[in-house]
Amino acid sequence: MTPKILVVDDEERMCWALERALSHEGYQVMTATRGLDGIRLAQTNEPSLVILDLKMPDIDGIEVLKELKALNSKIPVIMITAHGTIDTAIEAMKLGATDYITKPFKLEKIKVQVQQALHLSNLESQVNFLQQELGKQYGKLIGQSEPMKEVTLLIRQVAKTGTTVLITGESGTGKEVAAVEIHKASNRFDKPFVAVNCAALPEHLLESELFGHEKGAFTGATGKKKGRFEVADKGTILLDEIGEMPISMQVKLLRVLQERCFQRVGGTETIHVDVRVIATTNRDLTTAIANGTFREDLYYRLNVMRIVMPPLRSRKEDIPLLVNHFLEKFDPTKSKKISSEAMKTLTQYNWPGNIRELQNVIERALIVCQGSEIQSIHFPRELLTHLEVSTTPEINLSEDGFSLGELEKHLIIKALEKHNYNQTKVAKYLGITRPTLLYRLQKYGIKI
């Protein structure tokens, strides 16, 4: 689409000169010699960029700028000013003007400024589009509970750095969403975000997917292909379900994390990349290390900064927010609402499938419900039969006896999950001191 440029200047000769010069550059140019006329043209034609004189016969350029920004806050505006009005031009920049040029000026200079301003505007539009697409694909973090506030704070803190991040948590807790939030809040937000599911590909395909391959490297390699690390250069790569990666691939990944370089499969060229690495897993990697299925050195390389996504059962106060979000997502016309009784039912359930399960339940309820209000009857039968009817924990006493130590260990692990591994809160919750908690963690081999 040809960019449309609006020139607003009370000098007809200036309007004519700019229209002629910019038209030769391939732009569609409109002109106005009065401020109010310029505003009307902007309302009806939606220009890509405005060149605006500060001195106008009816209203001054500052007022015109304010009106233009009210119409479209993203529109780039280049101010034309005389030597005596530099301070006003600076004021205009504070109000959102992109740039300014001082009379007299060469047409070649303003052509360059127009080109740069349009390029910057296009980049901002692309970034906004990509972030919106990421939001559509992965969703967004929702929650005001204490565990989610802690997660949000950690994301803000780590996003400012280039640190490798390990995000752990049960399936369906939003680990991938958290990874996207880190990318969007970082200084890499306008660079690629590339996700790889390490559990979805066999070893020989995973290596090619991560590092690329040269033509003829293996059967079917008919051409050279860039790997995900290369595509993600200057951006972020998400290694989803890292705990499922074959042990032999872990060695190769460790080298990339240490040296930030690799070779394509079948290639000899060393490729250097600048990539932020985020890994996610729903597995206990310390157990995997003990079992010999995960490398300890890779674990410590990934676990520079750890974020634990809390299960939904430990932040039930967020359920109404999530429900309303999914209602709006799947029913944008807001033709249906949820009854208070149905909402109570949702907050009583323990959600083993976490947020993903909740989303599916709401989507199903909207389909099943023929009226204007969702009731508990519209929820799956298995949900209704497994409601949490009591807050008192049930302890099954075996005929053969049981270990108090194992019970205490289990209780501590559950308390850690509930409070997002915050040791101070866990100690308070269990009614013990923090040193006592640390002693218990060491005693039972609980690593956090």
Side-chain angles (χ1 to χ4, degrees), residues 363-382:
E363 186 174 11
R364 177 189 184 277
L366 285 168
I367 296 171
V368 173
C369 176
Q370 298 299 307
S372 60
E373 189 174 65
I374 295 172
Q375 304 290 342
S376 294
I377 195 173
H378 300 125
F379 298 147
R381 183 177 300 175
E382 58 268 24

Side-chain angles (χ1 to χ4, degrees), residues 171-232:
S171 180
T173 51
K175 298 184 293 294
E176 299 90 344
V177 179
V180 170
E181 292 297 324
I182 292 171
H183 174 73
K184 287 164 62 176
S186 73
N187 59 4
R188 300 172 184 262
F189 68 94
D190 57 343
K191 300 299 186 297
F193 178 87
V194 178
V196 185
N197 188 330
C198 299
L201 295 169
E203 181 178 348
H204 67 284
L205 290 180
L206 182 58
E207 182 177 6
S208 171
E209 194 69 22
L210 288 175
F211 309 128
H213 62 252
E214 298 291 345
K215 180 179 179 181
F218 51 82
T219 303
T222 56
K224 182 171 69 174
K225 176 189 173 184
K226 287 185 177 182
R228 297 296 184 93
F229 268 96
E230 199 170 347
V231 173

Side-chain angles (χ1 to χ4, degrees), residues 242-304:
I242 189 71
E244 307 303 321
M245 180 177 283
I247 195 82
S248 57
M249 273 299 300
Q250 294 176 27
V251 179
K252 297 172 183 177
L253 175 61
L254 180 62
R255 177 174 180 264
V256 176
L257 295 180
Q258 289 172 336
E259 302 176 16
R260 300 293 167 170
C261 65
F262 56 90
Q263 293 176 345
R264 298 191 189 102
V265 178
T268 56
E269 177 190 1
T270 299
I271 299 168
H272 294 265
V273 290
D274 172 19
V275 178
R276 169 59 155 310
V277 176
I278 302 176
T280 69
T281 183
N282 59 13
R283 293 183 61 187
D284 181 352
L285 294 185
T286 55
T287 301
I289 291 169
N291 295 336
T293 59
F294 202 84
R295 292 181 62 94
E296 188 173 15
D297 48 5
L298 177 58
Y299 171 72
Y300 288 116
R301 180 65 65 173
L302 291 171
N303 194 29
V304 179

Side-chain angles (χ1 to χ4, degrees), residues 89-146:
I90 294 172
E91 179 187 351
M93 296 285 285
K94 292 178 181 178
L95 292 172
T98 305
D99 203 350
Y100 71 90
I101 189 167
T102 306
K103 293 180 181 178
F105 56 82
K106 293 182 179 180
L107 290 173
E108 290 304 317
K109 183 177 180 181
I110 200 164
K111 286 179 186 179
V112 171
Q113 286 181 284
V114 166
Q115 185 180 33
Q116 291 175 338
L118 287 173
H119 178 64
L120 180 62
S121 179
N122 288 335
L123 285 177
E124 290 175 349
S125 297
Q126 290 174 25
V127 168
N128 290 334
F129 173 76
L130 290 173
Q131 292 200 347
Q132 288 171 7
E133 290 301 301
L134 278 176
K136 290 178 185 177
Q137 182 178 354
Y138 291 97
K140 59 182 180 179
L141 286 179
I142 295 173
Q144 294 297 322
S145 61
E146 285 303 316

